[in-house]
Amino acid sequence: MGIRELFSRATSPRLDFELVGGCDHACGHCYNVWNAEDDDPAGAYPTGHLRTTEYLAMMSRAVKESGAEHITITGGEPLLRKDALEIIEHACSLVPSVQLITNGSHVDEAAATRLARAGVRSVQLTLLSADRARHDALKGAACFDDTVAAAARLRRHGVHVSVCFVAMKENWSEFEDVLELCFALGVDSVAYNRMSPTGWAIHEIERLLPLVEQVQANLDVAERLGPRWGIRVTTAMPIPPCLLDLGRYEWVKFGFCSTGTASPNITIDPVGNVRSCNLSSHVMGNVQSDGWGRILSDDYYQSFRSIVPEACRGCEYERSCNGGCKESARATYGRLDHPEPFVHLATSERARRLRVLG
């Protein structure tokens, strides 16, 4: 495959820059690839980070060679890095659209001021519950007050704020209360992410992975309250249409895996290693040593879209759904063509019920 074809397939990638691998929270659902055990299917991810000048140069090169027009700053917790605001300001000078994903514990007045002056398009904060004690227990840190204060502080400075809600068995029933809190805070967009385990989270599947019925109940809430309160709800983690009738929802915007599409979310780690997304542990190349065409020609990346579980072949949603979150399947079961945990457990339970009824 030639370079021209590679670039025509990825005309405007969105680049996710991970500033650090570490975090000061301890979420059980965390998909951070650095959290995987060495003997996990996707374990032993490389560590390290570039110095400030090296990182800024690497970011500039990645944007120039990829043609990206959007950057997401993430981690780990990106604001743990001492030069994070300098890097964010540099990102804003390179592209017209920059988003920051942070846990909210480090957005003080000075940080909010600099983010606003830099022109950050949006800051995404995580709320797992509208109850302080429940949120802090799920996050593994005393952070609820910091998150709420960060939302209010950023909005005062004119920075758009969005909220991420990660649906799990332990908190799915609290989604309506989180939406109400968002309304009270003036937050008008919520990313609804059903848990999709990679990293350490593959060991928490039985305890945390939500049931299909629980996800459906949340989507029903979003469809009922979203228009009333003016809160746009989107799903980042794929919800396979074989499990739920997505056509019944007019307000919720559903997203699927972007890898291999015309606008992929490509992730770049603290040393410049490139991965197909932030759930993937496979390194496609390095911005500092490899040209962008060489990175995109990586065999794993090129074959990713064509590999789907056998049960998905011939499905009317095969090309759009693409098997759901295949990186979760690889992290959990060691294979891209294995049904991902959300699908595997749901279909296994359906088969069990049919056997009982039969």
Side-chain angles (χ1 to χ4, degrees):
M1 181 176 294
I3 298 299
R4 185 183 303 275
E5 185 179 352
L6 286 168
F7 276 95
S8 69
R9 290 183 61 192
T11 54
S12 183
R14 294 161 290 171
L15 301 182
D16 292 2
F17 284 92
E18 298 169 325
L19 301 198
V20 293
C23 183
D24 51 348
H25 293 183
C27 305
H29 67 271
C30 180
Y31 57 77
N32 195 322
V33 294
W34 288 275
N35 285 342
E37 300 287 286
D38 288 350
D39 57 351
D40 289 340
Y45 190 80
T47 59
H49 65 275
L50 300 175
R51 292 175 295 183
T52 304
T53 54
E54 296 171 328
Y55 198 97
L56 296 179
M58 182 272 292
M59 176 180 278
S60 296
R61 177 174 176 174
V63 170
K64 181 179 180 180
E65 294 189 1
S66 68
E69 296 185 349
H70 173 81
I71 285 174
T72 294
I73 302 294
T74 182
E77 168 47 47
L79 295 184
L80 287 178
R81 182 163 173 148
K82 293 181 180 180
D83 58 359
L85 292 173
E86 181 179 352
I87 293 174
I88 293 169
E89 289 164 345
H90 183 65
C92 290
S93 74
L94 294 175
V95 296
S97 176
V98 174
Q99 178 187 39
L100 169 65
I101 297 178
T102 174
N103 61 32
S105 291
H106 308 280
V107 184
D108 56 17
E109 190 67 24
T113 299
R114 288 183 67 176
L115 292 171
R117 287 177 179 171
V120 170
R121 187 198 73 183
S122 179
V123 175
Q124 184 183 95
L125 306 169
T126 300
L127 279 173
L128 300 180
S129 173
D131 177 81
R132 177 186 291 107
R134 287 283 299 137
H135 173 85
D136 289 353
L138 291 165
K139 293 285 288 180
C143 57
F144 179 83
D145 291 344
D146 289 341
T147 303
V148 171
R153 188 173 292 126
L154 288 164
R155 294 199 71 250
R156 284 201 306 271
H157 283 271
V159 179
H160 182 261
V161 176
S162 64
V163 157
C164 174
F165 177 84
V166 182
M168 299 171 281
K169 279 182 181 176
E170 294 190 348
N171 74 331
W172 71 273
S173 61
E174 301 175 55
F175 180 58
E176 182 169 343
D177 291 338
V178 169
L179 278 186
E180 185 174 6
L181 177 58
C182 287
F183 176 69
L185 291 171
V187 172
D188 63 3
S189 61
V190 170
Y192 176 86
N193 290 349
R194 55 92 179 172
M195 178 192 175
S196 190
T198 59
W200 169 256
I202 68 171
H203 302 287
E204 300 287 357
I205 289 174
E206 183 176 352
R207 181 172 69 93
L208 296 179
L209 192 69
L211 302 176
V212 173
E213 293 81 2
Q214 294 166 346
V215 171
Q216 180 173 325
N218 286 166
L219 296 177
D220 291 344
V221 167
E223 191 73 10
R224 174 169 54 87
L225 296 179
R228 181 186 305 175
W229 291 340
I231 300 175
R232 177 58 63 185
V233 179
T234 60
T235 68
M237 295 301 176
I239 299 176
C242 63
L243 300 181
L244 279 172
D245 177 12
L246 306 187
R248 61 186 288 185
Y249 302 101
E250 297 181 358
W251 182 259
V252 180
K253 181 179 179 180
F254 294 95
F256 294 97
C257 179
S258 70
T259 301
T261 67
S263 186
N265 266 97
I266 294 178
T267 297
I268 302 174
D269 77 8
V271 296
N273 290 323
V274 181
R275 310 195 311 277
S276 56
C277 74
N278 55 9
L279 275 70
S280 176
S281 62
H282 173 79
V283 175
M284 297 158 54
N286 189 286
V287 173
Q288 298 193 102
S289 58
D290 302 308
W292 200 251
R294 155 68 184 82
I295 291 170
L296 291 186
S297 65
D298 174 73
D299 289 343
Y300 180 89
Y301 183 72
Q302 288 299 307
S303 62
F304 186 90
R305 293 290 292 187
S306 63
I307 301 173
V308 294
E310 186 61 33
C312 297
R313 298 218 172 266
C315 172
E316 62 179 307
Y317 303 108
E318 179 183 347
R319 293 187 64 83
S320 57
C321 171
N322 207 239
C325 183
K326 291 184 289 190
E327 289 296 351
S328 182
R330 177 173 177 261
T332 307
Y333 307 113
R335 292 165 39 201
L336 288 173
D337 63 350
H338 192 288
E340 61 141 306
F342 187 58
V343 175
H344 179 63
L345 296 180
T347 53
S348 297
E349 176 60 19
R350 285 180 181 177
R352 186 194 67 80
R353 290 176 182 174
L354 288 173
R355 288 195 297 270
V356 171
L357 292 173

